[in-house]
Amino acid sequence: MKLTPFTSAEEFAIYCSKSLKEAPKRRRSAFKYFSLNTLSLIDGVLYPQSRMVVLREVFEHFNFQIYTDSRTEKVTSLQSYKEASALFYDPKKMIQIRLEGILEKVEDSQNYFESLSEPQKRDYRTKMAPGSQADSFHTTHESEGGHFQILRFHTQRFDLVQLHSEGHRRVKGSLDLKGAISSLFWVTP
């Protein structure tokens, strides 16, 4: 579905924020799966690490949560580097959302883990940590416990792009400490 090109930076930001907020509830939303990018020190060199993750919950103004295994590289790297970015893209609406901010662990994740279904819990009960070298593709699971972790992304800056035949649109903005939009302006796409 092609959208009319936005003419108001505020309307564009609100549209993107609402679209992201609805994504976890809509099975076919293009924003439900996205690229999360963190930093990690590997052999003394700082590298960006990108992976596809599932958007689980979105709060006001682009702040969101994901679920992960507590033993993943993205979780262990948070001890040194909390900075992260996220990239969302909807190919039908031709909208890109780039977010920059801070990623942090949610302390009461285990309480939420108990509310998951058994098939969902199974994803966080592998005997070996994700990324561990294995002898085969078969995965062994533990029958109890789990390595579940919720990560919360606090957006500090955003960059929104609408590609359109009548002219591309691009808006940048930032959020204050309370999560409200503190600056919003058009930039050249």
Side-chain angles (χ1 to χ4, degrees):
M1 174 177 96
K2 196 166 190 176
L3 293 173
T4 304
F6 287 94
T7 57
S8 161
E10 186 175 349
E11 284 178 15
F12 187 23
I14 289 169
Y15 176 85
C16 289
S17 180
K18 283 183 178 178
S19 295
L20 211 57
K21 192 165 179 64
E22 294 170 1
K25 300 171 204 147
R26 294 182 48 228
R27 180 173 238 161
R28 297 184 189 262
S29 172
F31 293 144
K32 186 170 185 146
Y33 301 94
F34 67 98
S35 176
L36 178 68
N37 312 289
T38 58
L39 297 170
S40 190
L41 199 59
I42 301 170
D43 297 327
V45 179
L46 190 61
Y47 285 100
Q49 300 293 308
S50 300
R51 81 273 296 150
M52 296 301 292
V53 295
V54 180
L55 186 63
R56 297 295 183 173
E57 187 173 359
V58 180
F59 308 102
E60 290 300 310
H61 302 297
F62 306 109
N63 295 314
F64 63 83
Q65 287 186 162
I66 63 167
Y67 303 161
T68 191
D69 186 301
S70 61
R71 301 167 295 171
T72 61
E73 186 179 314
K74 64 183 157 287
V75 173
T76 57
S77 70
L78 289 179
Q79 295 170 4
S80 302
Y81 306 101
K82 295 187 181 310
E83 297 81 7
S85 65
L87 178 63
F88 302 83
Y89 183 67
D90 185 329
K92 290 182 180 172
K93 296 179 181 176
M94 304 291 284
I95 289 183
Q96 172 183 280
I97 300 172
R98 285 190 323 153
L99 306 176
E100 296 172 346
I102 301 297
L103 196 60
E104 68 179 6
K105 294 193 286 188
V106 173
E107 294 307 320
D108 62 349
S109 295
Q110 281 309 119
N111 291 334
Y112 187 80
F113 179 70
E114 298 308 319
S115 70
L116 297 178
S117 69
E118 284 305 314
Q120 289 173 311
K121 287 180 182 177
R122 182 176 160 82
D123 291 339
Y124 306 102
R125 287 184 170 155
T126 60
K127 284 197 176 201
M128 296 173 67
S132 298
Q133 186 170 344
D135 294 330
S136 77
F137 61 88
H138 295 288
T139 303
T140 307
H141 294 84
E142 299 168 346
S143 59
E144 293 191 14
H147 305 281
F148 180 74
Q149 181 66 60
I150 298 174
L151 297 180
R152 184 168 291 150
F153 188 95
H154 298 278
T155 300
Q156 296 174 326
R157 287 177 298 281
F158 57 88
D159 187 340
L160 314 172
V161 177
Q162 179 188 28
L163 301 176
H164 201 282
S165 59
E166 294 177 30
H168 306 323
R169 312 291 199 262
R170 185 172 177 194
V171 169
K172 282 191 172 191
S174 59
L175 305 175
D176 63 22
L177 295 176
K178 294 180 182 178
I181 295 176
S182 59
S183 71
L184 186 66
F185 49 91
W186 291 105
V187 294
T188 303

